[in-house]
Amino acid sequence: MSSSIILPMQYPIITSWQWVANSFAVLGNYPETEPWIMNHFIQLQLTTNPGRISAFVDFFRTPVFEYCPWLFHQHLKRETVRFINEDICAFIVDCINLNNYIYGVFDQAFFIEGHDSLPHDLFIYGYDLERQVFHAADFTFTGKYSFAEVPFEQLEKAYHAIEGDEDWLFSGKGGLSLISFDDSLGYEFNISNVAAQLEGFLTGHNCFEKSREMTHKTNPCVYGLGVYDQLIENLIKIQNKEQGADYRPFHVLCDHKALMLRRIPFLEQYGYLKPGTNLAERYQSIENDAFLCRNLLIKYMKTEQSSIIDKIITNIRKIRNEEGEQIESLLSNLVIV
Amino acid sequence: MSKQDIAGQIIQRIEQKISASPGSSPEDAVITADTLLRDVWLRLESIQVVDLVVELETSYGTELPDELLGQIDRSPLKVSDLAAMVAGEAV
């Protein structure tokens, strides 16, 4: 048995949330997955989050581990894991030897000095037996998505410290997921599906509504351009001190624009978009505005200058109008055969 | 305070931030007045860029343009231009 293994992992092109970042960190190693990525992550959703710091903005929650054609997903209850091997570190090492990434909730207070209990999902992608460490990824180590080493001893404590509702992954089912990459599978790009998602973005309608049971249960949501209207309402509440400020929704907006900017040349390259549009240039400007909104909100969080919120609202209105126009233009230039 | 003095202080602040970033090398922290701001921003986390702008605004009692917080990938602005902005000169 090898004394160390690191499964393929690269810094993801977008991070957004940990389930997005982890998926992209794996899929980024395999160029053949690009058509699937370009066919998804188009719709934005904002989930109302009563009682929490802010609304929750994400790409439409395509359950990547379950539905990405190349990923083989095995989900085990904690009881099953214990039945297979009571030593959680030995179990994880065995799983990695079988080319599985491991995803589950751990109490990350055991990895981060001076932190109170912090049940958070961790993605493990390697180990080193000599140094007795796992290689893992998450946002908790540095505040941004990053890779770190976690000692076996700490990981064992972090795993066993999770109890009851703290094991919240997969709509509260909890347990550990084993994810491996199977290169024998494939995917056929579906341009009609892209068009349906773009139309849904324009009209604020979720085109996946009819298959709602295939995704996670959520609080009520708004979609597409409707997300911007709701973000403006939330910003007014932040300005009036009725709600705390949170830059994460704006980080997701930046990632959404970055992916749209990647999608436009992809569509052109494969003949799904008529050549000669200036969509990429226009989307670059939208991406810049999203980026500015995020950084202005961070500036507001440091200074609490009310005028900054006014600037963000102005920029969001600009993004909403500009993106509406560009998506209409994109739809009218798609080549659907 | 002269623009050169301000540039020197800005460079010091930037170098401190870069050195504090995990994974940064000593070469990353070498900044001059002629270094392009887009190259400086690349070596900093977004939060550090915002921190720097807020620190400069607070320390020098000035307001810097929002464009510094957007994407400046194609901007010709240099550290010396930032010093001029802080000094209240037109750039």
Side-chain angles (χ1 to χ4, degrees), chain A residues 101-133:
Chain A
Y101 300 82
I102 291 89
Y103 186 47
V105 174
F106 294 77
D107 184 347
Q108 299 203 21
F110 286 94
F111 316 144
I112 302 160
E113 220 176 295
H115 210 295
D116 290 335
S117 171
L118 179 62
H120 207 259
D121 34 340
L122 186 74
F123 197 72
I124 305 168
Y125 61 93
Y127 67 81
D128 185 325
L129 287 180
E130 273 176 30
R131 295 171 48 236
Q132 294 279 291
V133 293

Side-chain angles (χ1 to χ4, degrees), chain B residues 17-18 32-33 40-43 46-47 52 62 65 70 77 79 84 87 90:
Chain B
K17 288 189 189 303
I18 293 175
T32 71
V40 174
W41 272 205
L42 275 177
R43 294 176 223 177
S46 292
I47 287 179
L52 178 68
T62 187
L77 289 174
V79 172

Side-chain angles (χ1 to χ4, degrees), chain B residues 1 6 10 15-16 22-24 26-27 32 36 42-44 54 57-58 72 84 87 91:
Chain B
M1 192 181 290
I6 295 174
I10 291 174
E15 288 177 344
Q16 281 169 358
S24 69
E27 296 80 44
T32 71
L36 288 166
L42 275 177
R43 294 176 223 177
L44 295 172
V54 171
E57 287 185 340
T58 310
I72 59 166
V91 175

Side-chain angles (χ1 to χ4, degrees), chain A residues 42-114:
Chain A
I42 292 171
Q43 182 63 284
L44 276 178
Q45 76 177 56
L46 179 148
T47 312
T48 52
N49 220 351
R52 303 291 291 271
I53 184 169
S54 73
F56 178 86
V57 175
D58 197 358
F59 293 92
F60 169 72
R61 292 288 299 279
T62 303
V64 180
F65 293 148
E66 289 91 328
Y67 292 113
C68 179
W70 293 271
L71 297 182
F72 187 73
H73 178 220
Q74 304 171 76
H75 195 72
L76 301 177
K77 283 182 171 181
R78 282 176 173 249
E79 291 86 336
T80 313
V81 172
R82 190 165 54 238
F83 176 76
I84 296 170
N85 195 334
E86 287 192 2
D87 180 343
I88 186 63
C89 292
F91 174 80
I92 292 174
V93 166
D94 286 342
C95 290
I96 293 171
N97 286 335
L98 294 168
N99 293 317
N100 291 292
Y101 300 82
I102 291 89
Y103 186 47
V105 174
F106 294 77
D107 184 347
Q108 299 203 21
F110 286 94
F111 316 144
I112 302 160
E113 220 176 295

Side-chain angles (χ1 to χ4, degrees), chain A residues 144 284 287-288 291-292 294-296 299 302-303 311, chain B residues 45-47 50-51 54 57 63 66 69-71 74:
Chain A
K144 64 176 280 193
Q284 186 77 56
E287 187 192 37
N288 184 46
F291 192 76
L292 182 58
R294 185 194 65 181
N295 284 352
L296 283 172
K299 187 177 178 188
K302 292 177 182 298
T303 63
K311 288 180 188 175
Chain B
E45 302 291 344
S46 292
I47 287 179
V50 180
D51 272 339
V54 171
E57 287 185 340
E63 190 174 344
D66 290 338
L69 298 180
Q71 288 175 325
R74 294 176 204 167

Side-chain angles (χ1 to χ4, degrees), chain A residues 176-218:
Chain A
L176 282 189
S177 279
L178 316 184
I179 296 129
S180 56
F181 190 87
D182 182 343
D183 62 6
S184 69
L185 298 167
Y187 178 76
E188 197 170 331
F189 190 74
N190 183 349
I191 188 64
S192 299
N193 183 264
V194 171
Q197 291 177 74
L198 289 169
E199 279 161 11
F201 193 95
L202 266 184
T203 57
H205 170 75
N206 176 23
C207 67
F208 295 107
E209 185 63 26
K210 53 182 177 278
S211 51
R212 176 191 283 216
E213 70 279 6
M214 291 173 77
T215 186
H216 304 288
K217 185 171 179 255
T218 66

Side-chain angles (χ1 to χ4, degrees), chain A residues 299, chain B residues 6-14 17 37 41 48-64 68 79 81-83 85-87:
Chain A
K299 187 177 178 188
Chain B
I6 295 174
Q9 291 177 2
I10 291 174
I11 289 167
Q12 209 174 6
R13 285 173 194 267
I14 292 170
K17 288 189 189 303
L37 277 185
W41 272 205
Q48 289 178 308
V49 170
V50 180
D51 272 339
L52 178 68
V53 168
V54 171
E55 281 172 24
L56 295 176
E57 287 185 340
T58 310
S59 302
Y60 296 95
T62 187
E63 190 174 344
L64 294 169
L68 293 173
V79 172
D81 296 317
L82 178 58
M85 289 175 193
V86 169

